[in-house]
Structures are given as C-alpha cells and as structure tokens.
Amino acid sequence: MAHKSDIEIAREANKKPIQEIGGKLGIPNESLLPYGHDKAKVSAEFIAAQKGRNDGKLILVTAINPTPAGEGKTTTTVGLGDGLNRIGRKAAICIREASLGPCFGMKGGAAGGGYAQVVPMEDMNLHFTGDFHAITSAHNLLSAMIDNHIYWGNAEDIDIRRVTWRRVMDMNDRALREIVCSLGGVANGFPREAGFDITVASEVMAILCLANDLEDLEKRLGDIIVAYRRDRSPVTCRDIKADGAMAVLLKDAMQPNLVQTLENNPAFVHGGPFANIAHGCNSVVATKTALKLADYVVTEAGFGADLGAEKFMDIKCRKAGIAPDAVVIVATVRAMKMNGGVKKEDLGTEDVEAVQRGCANLGRHIENVKSFGVPAVVAINHFVTDTDAEIAAVKDYVASLGSEAVLCKHWAQGSEGITELAERIAEIADSGMAQFSTLYPDDMPLFEKIETIAKRIYRADEVLADKKIRDQLRQWEDAGFGDLPVCMAKTQYSFSTDPNLRGAPTGHSVPVREVRLSAGAGFIVVICGQIMTMPGLPKTPSAEAIRLNDDGLIEGLF
Amino acid sequence: MAHKSDIEIAREANKKPIQEIGGKLGIPNESLLPYGHDKAKVSAEFIAAQKGRNDGKLILVTAINPTPAGEGKTTTTVGLGDGLNRIGRKAAICIREASLGPCFGMKGGAAGGGYAQVVPMEDMNLHFTGDFHAITSAHNLLSAMIDNHIYWGNAEDIDIRRVTWRRVMDMNDRALREIVCSLGGVANGFPREAGFDITVASEVMAILCLANDLEDLEKRLGDIIVAYRRDRSPVTCRDIKADGAMAVLLKDAMQPNLVQTLENNPAFVHGGPFANIAHGCNSVVATKTALKLADYVVTEAGFGADLGAEKFMDIKCRKAGIAPDAVVIVATVRAMKMNGGVKKEDLGTEDVEAVQRGCANLGRHIENVKSFGVPAVVAINHFVTDTDAEIAAVKDYVASLGSEAVLCKHWAQGSEGITELAERIAEIADSGMAQFSTLYPDDMPLFEKIETIAKRIYRADEVLADKKIRDQLRQWEDAGFGDLPVCMAKTQYSFSTDPNLRGAPTGHSVPVREVRLSAGAGFIVVICGQIMTMPGLPKTPSAEAIRLNDDGLIEGLF
C-alpha cells in the first residue's frame, strides 16, 4: 500500500479545519488561536479552566536503543493514537516540535511516516508557530543583558571568565561554537570567550517544557544561573532582571500547538528539548492539557528507553505529578538483527538466529520499564522484508519474559494496522494495574542518584568520577540543590557509554566527565561522553537542494 | 479626550475578527491565513489572482526632519486612512513592522498613537507573525553555509578576510558587533573576524521588501554578494547554493500581514528595512496588494522627506513601477519651534516668531517633494499646547509657497479630527494632477546620482569622496551595476550630514565615507557618517521592567 514517500502521502492528506479537530476535544473556536487553517494554539485561559477535570490515561511510547535501521517511535506514537480513535476511544497524541537547523544539514525529519503521520509536515519542519524563535529570542535577550550589565559597570561583579550562559541559534553553525565577543574597542564591551548552542539545547527550552504555567515559567527563568561572581557565588537571571521580559517573549510559546494526524485525530506538538543535556520530552503543559481533554494520551520520549523513558519517569513525571498507565516499547525485526550482529546491507535476508541474539537489548528495556511499576507491551513495527519466522522469534522471546509483543502495520495501513495493539493498550491502561514509582527518591544524595541509574538501568558495575566532580555535587547539595533529579547525557546507541556496544552489556563503567546545574529547568546534567550542543553542516548540506518548485511546493526538505 | 495612554486606548479597542476586516477588501476567508483572531496573512495565490485589476490611488505620508518633539508620521498615516474611510472612501494603510530588539532597550514604539493606532499593539511589538524571525533564519543560514563551504575545502577560494556577509539577530547586543568566530580547533573551522547586525539591517530584509513575488525574491537572494575570492572576484549567495533554501524559509514571510486600525479599517503591516543603509519602506508586495484591493492606499516612508520620501520615489517606486498620487508632509508646531531654536522644555510657551523661523525646514521639504512632480499637502499634527496664532503662522507660511496646510486632530479625535485632510487628499489624488518622475535616470553614472541627490535634495554645494570610493563606483559600473539607484545613509536630523544643523542649510558638503553594494536588494549604499547597524542596550534597559502582571497583561513594554 505505502509505495509513496512520506511527503507525498502528507501532501495528499485530507486535512480538516483545525477548529474541527479542536472540536473533537471540546475546545471552542474562541479558545483556539489559529496559525493558518491547519494549526492552532490552545489558549492559556481555556487550559486554566480545565483544572478540575479528571485526567485520561497516559501511554508512553519508547524504544530499544536506536540503530541505523530506524525503529519508528514517532510513527508508532501517531499510529497508536489513530488506532485508539479507530476502536472508539477518545485519544490524542503528544509529540515534540522539530528543530529548524538540522533540516538544512540532513534531509528533514518528518513527524511520523507512511500512513501514520502528523500534518502539516512542511510547517512543522520549518517555522511552525514560532515557538523555537521565541525561545531563541528569550535566551539571547538574557545573553545581551548579561554583557550589557558588565558593560555598564558590572554592579554584580560578574567574573567575565565565568559567564556560563551562552547564546543560541536554531541553526547548525559550527563557526559559532567558540567565539570571542565584544571586540572592536571600548564601545563594544569587554572582550571575552563566548559561544552559541543550537536552540533545542537551551535551558529555556527545557524550562518551557517543564513549567506548569506562566508563573512557574517566570520563576524558573529567574532561577537560571548565568555566571559566577569573583567570589564564586552564582549570578542568576533574576539578578540580571531579565526574567520578566523573557516570560513576556514566551507568553504565546507556552500555549500548546494543536495539529492533526492523517486520520484527522488531534495531535499536540509542543516543545523539543535535547534528549541528552535535557530531558527530551514534549511540554508538560501539552501533556497535561491533553490528559484533561482526551481519555487516552499517547506520548513519546527521546532516544531509547534507557535515556528517554528513564528521564520521562524520573524528571517529567516526577516534576509534573503525572504517571504512565502503560508503556509501549517499539522494536523492529531489522533492529533486532543489527543488535544480533547483521550488517545493514544484509538486513533483507532472513536470519532468525540473529533476531534471537539481538533480542537481549529489547529484553533489558522491558525489565527496566517494568521496574518503574508500569506494564510494558512491545510493538513490533512491521517492515516489508520481515519474515513470519523472524516475527515469531521476537514474540516468543518477549513471551518468555512474561510480556507480550504485538505486530503493528500502521506504517503501511494506518490505524487499521494497529487495532490489536490499541485494544491491548486500552485494556491495560483501563485496568489500573500500573503502580508507578520513580527510580530514586528526591532526597537521595546526587551521586547515589547517578549510581542508581547507572547500575539499575545501564547495568554498569560502577560510576567513575574524580574528586572535583564529587565535590561539585556536594557543593550543590549544600547550596540546596540536592533534591533535584539527575539528567544523564550519554550515547543513545548503547546501555553503556560506548556507542558500539550493542545488545545488553554488563560489567561496564560509567565515567562522568562533567556535571552541570540547570537550576531553572530543575535538574543536574551528568555528562558521560562527548555531547555536541552545536551541530555542524555536512559537506553537501541538504539546504543546497532545498527550493520551491514551479508549483510553489517545497523540494529537497524531505 | 485622549487622556489615556496609547496602550490603554489600544487595549480598549473594539477589535473585529480579522476575517471581517479582510471582507472589507473583498478577501475571502480561505485566502486569509489567520494568526490568532486579529492578525492574518493574505495568501500568495489570492494576491497573484488580483493581477488584472486596476490600482487605487497611492498616498505617501512623509515628514520634516525629525526632532525630539516627535512629528507623528505613523499616527497621521493611520489617521488619514481612517479619515478616508470615514468620508466614504475605501482606503487601506500600509506601514512597516517593528523590530523586536529595540523594544528591550527603550520603551517600545507603538503603531501610531492616541486614537489613530493599529492593533494588536503588543503582538506588533513582539513576534507578530514571525516575519523577522524568518528573515533572521534565512540570513543566518547563508552565513552558516559560507563558513561551512570554507570548512569543507573552500572550492570557491573565498578570501576569509573578505567575507562581507555577517550574521544577524533581532536584538540590541553590542557584544556581537565584532567577534572572532570558528575558534576552538580544527573541528570548528578557520578562525576569522566576523560580527552581527540587527535583523532590520539585513539585506534579506531589504530584498523581501523590494521583491515582487517569490520568484523575484529567490533571484535577488541569489544575487547577494557574500564575499570576495582571493582574486577579488565576488562570490554570490547563488555560488554558495543557499538561495533556494532561503526562499523556502521566507515563503510565508513574503505574504503581507493584515491587521486593523482602532476604527476597524484594514492595515497592512509588512517588512521593516532600516531607513539608512536600506530604503526604509514597507514591502512592495503589501503596497501593490493594497492598491489592488482599496481605492486609496496611505503609506509612509522612514525618517524625514530628504531620506524617506527620496528613497520611496527613487528606489521603491522606480523598482516597483508605482507612483504616488499625493504626498502628505507631517509637521508640528512644536517641531517648527525647535527648528526655530526653542529648547524642548520651553515648547509649552507661545512663540510665533520661532515657528516662523523654523518653517524653513518644512518649506524645503515641500519644494523637494514637488520636484518629483507630485502635489504635496502639509498636515499639521495638532498638539494640545499649540496656539491659534502658531497654527496660523504655519498655514500662512505654507500658503506663501503656493501649497496648503491642514490642521489635523486625529490623535485626540480619531478619523473625526482629520476629515478635512482626507477630503483634500482624495480630491487631489482623484484629479490625476501628479506627474511623477524619479530624480535621476537609471543610466546616470553612480557618482552623479549621489551628486544629484546631494545638490537637489540636500542643497549641498559638493560631494566629497576620495579616489578609492570613486574607483569603487566605477568598478561597479564596469561590472554592470551602474543602473542601480543609490541609497543614502546619513543622519535623519538634518538636510546636511551634521545632525545639529537644523532648518534649511545650504552651502554644505556631503562627505562619503564608504560605499557598499547591495546587489540583491538592488542599490548602492552611500554612507555619509557613522551608521550603527547593531544597537546596544542602555544602562537601565526597559527589559528590566517588562513583565506579565497578575492579570496576564504585559507591563513595561510601552
């Protein structure tokens, strides 16, 4: 069925006016702020008025460690949302917004794929409703105000060698990673080392995604630590008096965006923090709003379950006071084979033993998810080359762990191909069998939190950290930040910190290179490996081929 | 009547749904792309379909040289639009969008004032419909692609000391004026001097405002000269292959924005190039669209008539193939007094002689406007302290030049206070008496074009330019750029290049410091004095007081 490209399918979508989609969730027209005819923001006033309502069921879609074969996590999130609607349940999906910059490097990420997509695809990969631009502006206003403060007398006595707040741009621009700014003489300030990250790496992005409302947003913005004084004490955004203006710049961006699936079901697409130095989930406001308006909310988390699901549980759920009723772990036969040692070019050949060997990675994720007290179902995202024997091998393996795997054909068939999973997930969610608990309590010492994740989720033997890092963690505990959760930044390709170590490794060590305090977002970032916060463009960037064709359609973006 | 602040009046506006405003111009709902309930873009398809229709009359609002007393050019543009509608004419206004960055320095510029304003005021001073963010993205994509080209082998042999294309940000950030980028080692590129301008100073902004359609936009983007090779030959945006992707980023931004006046009349607010290094007018697309849909279109140009009106005529009208049917020159009694030597603190005291002395500045502008073959009427924008004798002095002076001045009270009374001017302007525009011609022909040598403006508009005796500058102009002529108009960048406060020289000076010299080629926008920038392309923030930026109050309203922005 799906011989067409994603963009061809998306362009053939029979989109309904966004007011009609909002109507399915009971959102009146005046509470929808339209952006064109197929996108809208849900007004803050309407959201505030839903407070007393009961919450629907929350379903998290996560995945095995990503492989070059592709797992289809977003595709499954979209498909499951459509599937639930197909079987008569009132369901909405919640996913992240795409970053603009990377679209000009490699061909852009669609929102889902095949017959399980969210539209309008072009807009979502370009400016969308301007949220990321607002975040860029708010972030850079603070940057400008810091240098302006230094310029006009530096009353806070900021050590210009210790300004930790950088600037951001939603662009892949390696030339901006490390710069010296304020050159050119007295009128331009005091020269110092500085640099840019990509917007999705901004702490403002993480804050927008974790804040409950505008008041909470402004409070968190004020808490951001931007620099240190000559006496090493922290200088906050509030000290620089930028928090109010930043909140004003983010006022509209805080309102979640509503779009639709190819099957005209509601999809909230809002926020998109990095899944390494941040928590990698869509906004709390969108998820909570969806829970008030729909009976089932399907959402996803970044990367594999070791990073994404763990952060979803330990950061987002903990902070937002929400809990998943069921978890779907997406796997593919192809990915199992790659984990079992098969090369990408040989994936088309049946190899049941390789599938069996590769299943260990999946098994570990199932165990981990269950350790949060939440039932997990495996979704086998079907690919045309999968053989019956290979699919059976995955199902048998999952059954041997006391869980179940369901074959899903939503990519090719839309909701029709995923009704079995939808039925099963609805049943589990309705059963109330989930007994969610976070992995560690708030009051556990910070280093122990890191060890808990490393040992219980990554199955490492030890965490390696030098005295400087341990001292830093203790200092933050003394300063009142000990209650914060930790946000692990490591490779997404392995349970370990070695991206080439597939499967389900044990006995490894987790070396902590650096720790960072995101006092506004409310977590401690633990960096285990090289983390790139400003990507570069490839030798032949996709931008070179992006253009408007004679019909006014965008070419080369997908 | 108008005891309230601009923002209080704006917030009390009885706004109509934007579809109703579009309906007044015959724009069907499906051709309006809404941004919330009170803003919309007019679709490119609809605009293209209007091609065969006749144009309405075009009225330019310009002013005397600005003084600290404030003249109210935008206020008069808005008021005249409302006035024309009040007397039963179908009129629309066309003004520029506001830049975000400066709002965080000094209190923000409203769109008009008193009872002659465009709403929604907050949105227009913040992100509005995202046009400036799109321009920032397009500009910086090109910047990133240039450094990326150099990084991956520099096939074009770009001299990294001669990259003329900078980066932009819509922010007042002096620390970014001069930077060294690509530091930090091999992976980050080749270190070089670079810097940021504010977005409104981007050539992309000027291009968006002069392009006729998307095709023209892409062509102009491709023409931008971004650097020079080691052999001194120019490298264009097309050589870097960024033009297509930039056009894609600007696709939505090219569609003009429709909002409304306090009296619910249609207002196009689109584009906002600098009035010094660029031409300072709203977009050609908006003006041409308005001319197709309304019988009268009232628009404005940046700064005083010596800069703004001249560029409107010689750049915008020349390139767009449009012509004004009437010109309004805004003056105030207070500004005449300041030109007559009165200090700002003494403006409240009647001083008819000072008014008479200061009228010379106005007289010069009247003469200049008439030299383009267009009838000019003076609008005396009334201020409460003006005395009858002072107003009579202005009227008498203007009458002595064979022109007329009309007292306007739109600030306090809305359209009711400006019906006399509206009637007179409609009469003049309908009469067809305008015989528009540009000041100089395309084929005049570039230096002669500069001399023509300096002598005929500024009334200077001579243009001073060293051999290097004259040689540069000749080189551009040899390279095929001789047909371009020139875009003067000088102080707006005086006919001369000395900002303190008020009135109507003669016998002065115009020293040319630098010339720049804007090959995409299609003009030669002639810089006569210090031009700031990246402002800084003041010691106590207004951002410190900007916040959301307990009612969710923005405080401190106005």
Side-chain angles (χ1 to χ4, degrees):
Chain A
M1 191 169 165
H3 306 300
K4 294 172 181 164
S5 70
D6 288 351
I7 181 68
E8 282 170 332
I9 295 169
R11 283 187 178 149
E12 285 171 8
N14 186 11
K15 282 185 292 185
K16 295 203 171 144
I18 196 63
Q19 289 77 8
E20 212 173 301
I21 307 301
K24 290 189 176 186
L25 297 176
I27 309 171
N29 285 3
E30 63 271 21
S31 300
L32 278 181
L33 306 166
Y35 284 68
H37 300 293
D38 50 11
K39 305 178 290 294
K41 284 188 169 285
V42 182
S43 82
E45 294 73 24
F46 175 79
I47 291 172
Q50 310 307 309
K51 240 175 196 165
R53 294 180 61 171
N54 290 331
D55 284 336
K57 302 293 182 183
L58 181 59
I59 299 140
L60 173 69
V61 176
T62 182
I64 56 171
N65 290 97
T67 69
E71 285 64 51
K73 197 169 53 190
T74 306
T75 303
T76 304
T77 305
V78 176
L80 180 56
D82 281 340
L84 285 162
N85 278 291
R86 188 182 186 93
I87 63 167
R89 310 297 176 119
K90 188 176 170 185
I93 69 161
C94 284
I95 60 174
R96 286 163 290 167
E97 297 180 59
S99 180
L100 182 66
C103 290
F104 298 106
M106 314 287 267
K107 281 201 178 191
Y115 287 89
Q117 291 188 55
V118 172
V119 284
M121 186 168 160
E122 284 102 330
D123 292 7
M124 289 175 58
N125 280 284
L126 292 171
H127 307 291
F128 199 33
T129 60
D131 294 343
F132 287 15
H133 290 316
I135 290 166
T136 304
S137 292
H139 184 118
N140 290 336
L141 173 62
L142 175 52
S143 312
M145 288 177 77
I146 294 165
D147 277 304
N148 193 58
H149 179 92
I150 295 167
Y151 178 83
W152 288 105
N154 197 4
E156 293 285 350
D157 198 27
I158 291 171
D159 183 343
I160 67 166
R161 303 163 307 176
R162 290 192 170 87
V163 177
T164 50
W165 193 252
R166 290 157 55 90
R167 286 172 174 82
V168 295
M169 192 182 276
D170 196 359
M171 194 60 66
N172 287 20
D173 192 347
R174 69 171 67 75
L176 294 179
R177 283 176 190 152
E178 302 297 338
I179 67 170
V180 171
C181 68
S182 305
L183 295 170
V186 171
N188 297 350
F190 295 84
R192 66 177 186 84
E193 290 182 49
F196 282 72
D197 295 324
I198 192 163
T199 299
V200 286
S202 168
E203 187 176 347
V204 177
M205 174 67 85
I207 289 172
L208 183 115
C209 289
L210 287 169
N212 279 304
D213 52 32
L214 277 173
E215 200 180 339
D216 185 27
L217 176 83
E218 184 169 342
K219 195 253 165 205
R220 287 167 178 271
L221 292 169
D223 289 343
I224 297 171
I225 293 173
V226 300
Y228 293 88
R229 294 187 183 81
R230 301 283 292 231
D231 66 7
R232 304 288 176 93
S233 64
V235 180
T236 66
C237 169
R238 196 173 292 110
D239 294 328
I240 300 297
K241 302 191 183 78
D243 45 340
M246 290 170 76
V248 166
L249 279 169
L250 295 168
K251 185 173 183 267
D252 292 340
M254 265 294 279
Q255 299 175 127
N257 306 299
L258 182 69
V259 288
Q260 63 191 291
T261 67
L262 291 176
E263 300 191 12
N264 311 121
N265 293 312
F268 291 93
V269 180
H270 194 220
F274 256 25
N276 45 42
I277 61 159
H279 62 295
C281 307
N282 77 301
S283 78
V284 164
V285 170
T287 305
K288 284 188 156 181
T289 301
L291 285 169
K292 293 295 181 196
L293 303 177
D295 296 329
Y296 302 86
V297 174
V298 187
T299 189
E300 62 166 350
F303 296 153
D306 55 328
L307 278 169
E310 189 272 314
K311 292 182 187 185
F312 177 83
M313 312 281 193
D314 282 323
I315 299 177
K316 182 172 174 175
C317 289
R318 182 195 302 262
K319 291 295 169 182
I322 56 176
D325 295 283
V327 173
V328 173
I329 302 173
V330 181
T332 61
V333 165
R334 287 156 62 85
M336 294 301 100
K337 278 189 195 166
M338 287 200 87
N339 265 292
V342 177
K343 284 180 191 156
K344 200 176 175 187
E345 52 271 30
D346 301 329
L347 287 174
T349 316
E350 184 180 82
D351 190 341
V352 173
E353 280 180 25
V355 170
Q356 286 165 334
R357 279 196 307 276
C359 275
N361 184 269
L362 173 59
R364 173 79 59 83
H365 287 296
I366 296 172
E367 270 181 39
N368 283 348
V369 167
K370 284 182 176 171
S371 73
F372 286 92
V374 188
V377 176
V378 172
I380 305 173
N381 186 11
H382 184 253
F383 194 79
V384 281
T385 57
D386 299 351
T387 70
D388 290 347
E390 288 172 330
I391 292 163
V394 178
K395 287 191 171 186
D396 290 347
Y397 173 81
V398 175
S400 75
L401 299 177
S403 291
E404 59 189 310
V406 180
L407 185 67
C408 302
K409 297 189 170 177
H410 47 287
W411 184 82
Q413 300 173 7
S415 63
E416 201 186 340
I418 198 170
T419 51
E420 189 188 343
L421 181 70
E423 295 279 9
R424 193 67 194 102
I425 285 294
E427 200 181 327
I428 293 171
D430 291 347
S431 74
M433 65 190 283
Q435 299 272 321
F436 174 71
S437 68
T438 54
L439 193 66
Y440 52 81
D442 288 353
D443 61 5
M444 185 185 276
L446 292 172
F447 193 73
E448 271 182 51
K449 288 176 181 167
I450 301 170
E451 284 187 318
T452 301
I453 295 169
K455 291 180 178 171
R456 290 186 47 198
I457 302 292
Y458 309 157
R459 314 294 171 96
D461 273 0
E462 56 178 353
V463 174
L464 305 175
D466 61 24
K467 185 172 173 301
K468 202 175 141 192
I469 284 171
R470 290 171 195 250
D471 286 350
Q472 177 64 80
L473 292 172
R474 264 190 298 271
Q475 269 176 36
W476 285 333
E477 283 165 354
D478 293 343
F481 297 108
D483 276 358
L484 295 184
V486 294
C487 179
M488 303 300 285
K490 72 158 183 66
T491 177
Q492 66 266 39
Y493 298 111
S494 170
F495 278 105
S496 75
T497 56
D498 172 3
N500 300 311
L501 206 55
R502 296 191 196 278
T506 52
H508 50 100
S509 303
V510 173
V512 177
R513 283 166 39 116
E514 187 191 340
V515 286
R516 290 183 199 167
L517 172 57
S518 291
F523 50 67
I524 308 282
V525 183
V526 179
I527 297 176
C528 317
Q530 204 78 39
I531 299 298
M532 174 65 70
T533 52
M534 174 52 98
L537 291 169
K539 182 161 188 181
T540 305
S542 66
E544 291 186 3
I546 294 174
R547 53 182 282 274
L548 295 167
N549 68 19
D550 293 342
D551 299 326
L553 294 174
I554 298 169
E555 273 184 9
L557 185 57
F558 311 101
Chain B
M1 190 170 165
H3 306 304
K4 294 172 181 165
S5 70
D6 288 351
I7 181 68
E8 283 170 332
I9 295 170
R11 283 186 178 149
E12 285 171 7
N14 186 12
K15 281 185 293 186
K16 295 204 173 146
I18 196 64
Q19 289 78 7
E20 212 173 302
I21 307 302
K24 289 189 176 186
L25 296 177
I27 309 172
N29 284 3
E30 63 270 21
S31 300
L32 278 180
L33 306 166
Y35 283 69
H37 301 292
D38 51 11
K39 306 178 289 295
K41 282 187 170 286
V42 182
S43 83
E45 294 73 24
F46 175 79
I47 291 172
Q50 310 307 308
K51 240 174 196 166
R53 295 180 60 171
N54 289 332
D55 284 336
K57 303 293 183 183
L58 181 58
I59 298 140
L60 173 70
V61 176
T62 183
I64 56 170
N65 290 97
T67 69
E71 284 66 50
K73 199 170 50 191
T74 306
T75 303
T76 303
T77 304
V78 176
L80 181 55
D82 282 339
L84 284 162
N85 277 290
R86 188 184 186 93
I87 63 167
R89 311 296 176 118
K90 187 176 172 187
I93 69 161
C94 284
I95 60 174
R96 286 163 292 166
E97 298 181 59
S99 180
L100 182 65
C103 290
F104 298 106
M106 312 289 266
K107 283 200 178 191
Y115 287 88
Q117 291 188 55
V118 172
V119 285
M121 185 166 158
E122 283 104 329
D123 292 5
M124 290 174 57
N125 281 284
L126 293 171
H127 306 292
F128 199 33
T129 60
D131 293 342
F132 286 16
H133 290 316
I135 289 166
T136 303
S137 292
H139 183 118
N140 290 335
L141 173 63
L142 175 53
S143 312
M145 289 178 75
I146 294 166
D147 277 304
N148 193 58
H149 178 93
I150 295 167
Y151 178 83
W152 288 106
N154 198 2
E156 293 285 349
D157 198 28
I158 291 171
D159 183 343
I160 67 166
R161 303 164 306 175
R162 289 194 170 87
V163 177
T164 50
W165 192 251
R166 291 158 55 91
R167 286 173 174 81
V168 295
M169 192 183 276
D170 196 0
M171 195 59 67
N172 288 20
D173 191 348
R174 68 170 67 74
L176 294 178
R177 283 175 190 152
E178 301 297 337
I179 67 171
V180 171
C181 68
S182 305
L183 295 169
V186 171
N188 297 350
F190 296 83
R192 65 177 187 84
E193 290 182 49
F196 282 71
D197 295 324
I198 192 164
T199 298
V200 287
S202 168
E203 188 176 346
V204 178
M205 174 68 86
I207 289 173
L208 183 116
C209 290
L210 286 169
N212 279 306
D213 51 32
L214 278 173
E215 199 180 338
D216 185 27
L217 177 83
E218 185 169 342
K219 195 254 164 204
R220 287 167 178 270
L221 292 170
D223 288 343
I224 296 171
I225 293 173
V226 299
Y228 292 87
R229 296 187 182 81
R230 300 283 292 233
D231 66 7
R232 306 286 175 94
S233 64
V235 180
T236 66
C237 169
R238 196 172 293 113
D239 294 328
I240 300 297
K241 303 192 183 75
D243 44 340
M246 290 170 77
V248 166
L249 279 169
L250 295 169
K251 185 173 183 269
D252 292 341
M254 265 294 280
Q255 300 175 125
N257 307 298
L258 182 70
V259 288
Q260 62 192 291
T261 66
L262 292 176
E263 300 190 10
N264 311 122
N265 293 312
F268 291 93
V269 180
H270 194 220
F274 257 24
N276 44 42
I277 61 158
H279 62 293
C281 307
N282 76 300
S283 78
V284 164
V285 170
T287 304
K288 282 188 156 181
T289 301
L291 284 170
K292 292 295 180 196
L293 303 176
D295 296 328
Y296 301 86
V297 174
V298 187
T299 189
E300 62 165 351
F303 296 152
D306 54 328
L307 279 168
E310 189 272 314
K311 293 181 188 186
F312 177 84
M313 313 282 192
D314 281 324
I315 300 177
K316 181 172 176 176
C317 289
R318 181 195 303 263
K319 291 295 168 183
I322 55 176
D325 295 284
V327 173
V328 173
I329 302 173
V330 181
T332 62
V333 165
R334 287 155 62 86
M336 293 300 100
K337 277 188 197 169
M338 287 198 87
N339 265 292
V342 176
K343 286 182 191 153
K344 200 176 175 187
E345 52 271 28
D346 300 329
L347 286 175
T349 315
E350 184 180 83
D351 190 340
V352 174
E353 279 179 25
V355 170
Q356 285 163 337
R357 280 196 306 275
C359 276
N361 184 268
L362 172 60
R364 171 79 59 84
H365 288 296
I366 296 171
E367 271 182 39
N368 283 347
V369 166
K370 284 182 176 170
S371 73
F372 287 93
V374 188
V377 175
V378 172
I380 305 173
N381 186 12
H382 183 253
F383 194 79
V384 280
T385 56
D386 298 351
T387 68
D388 290 347
E390 288 172 329
I391 292 164
V394 178
K395 287 191 171 184
D396 290 348
Y397 172 80
V398 175
S400 76
L401 299 178
S403 292
E404 60 189 310
V406 180
L407 185 67
C408 302
K409 297 189 170 178
H410 47 287
W411 185 83
Q413 299 174 7
S415 63
E416 201 185 341
I418 197 170
T419 50
E420 188 187 343
L421 181 70
E423 294 279 10
R424 194 64 195 104
I425 286 294
E427 199 180 328
I428 292 171
D430 291 346
S431 75
M433 65 190 282
Q435 299 272 322
F436 174 71
S437 67
T438 54
L439 193 66
Y440 52 80
D442 287 353
D443 61 4
M444 184 185 275
L446 292 172
F447 193 75
E448 270 182 52
K449 288 175 181 167
I450 301 170
E451 284 185 319
T452 302
I453 295 169
K455 291 181 178 170
R456 291 190 41 202
I457 302 292
Y458 309 156
R459 315 294 170 96
D461 273 0
E462 56 179 353
V463 174
L464 305 175
D466 60 25
K467 185 172 174 300
K468 203 175 139 192
I469 283 171
R470 290 171 195 249
D471 286 350
Q472 177 65 80
L473 292 172
R474 263 191 297 268
Q475 270 175 36
W476 285 332
E477 283 165 353
D478 294 343
F481 297 107
D483 276 357
L484 296 183
V486 295
C487 178
M488 304 299 286
K490 71 157 184 71
T491 178
Q492 67 265 39
Y493 298 111
S494 171
F495 277 104
S496 75
T497 56
D498 173 3
N500 300 310
L501 206 55
R502 296 191 196 281
T506 52
H508 51 98
S509 303
V510 173
V512 177
R513 282 167 41 113
E514 187 191 338
V515 285
R516 291 184 198 166
L517 172 57
S518 291
F523 49 68
I524 308 281
V525 183
V526 178
I527 297 176
C528 317
Q530 204 79 39
I531 298 299
M532 174 65 70
T533 52
M534 173 53 98
L537 291 169
K539 181 161 188 180
T540 304
S542 67
E544 292 187 2
I546 294 174
R547 54 182 282 273
L548 295 167
N549 67 19
D550 294 342
D551 299 326
L553 294 175
I554 298 168
E555 274 185 7
L557 185 56
F558 310 101

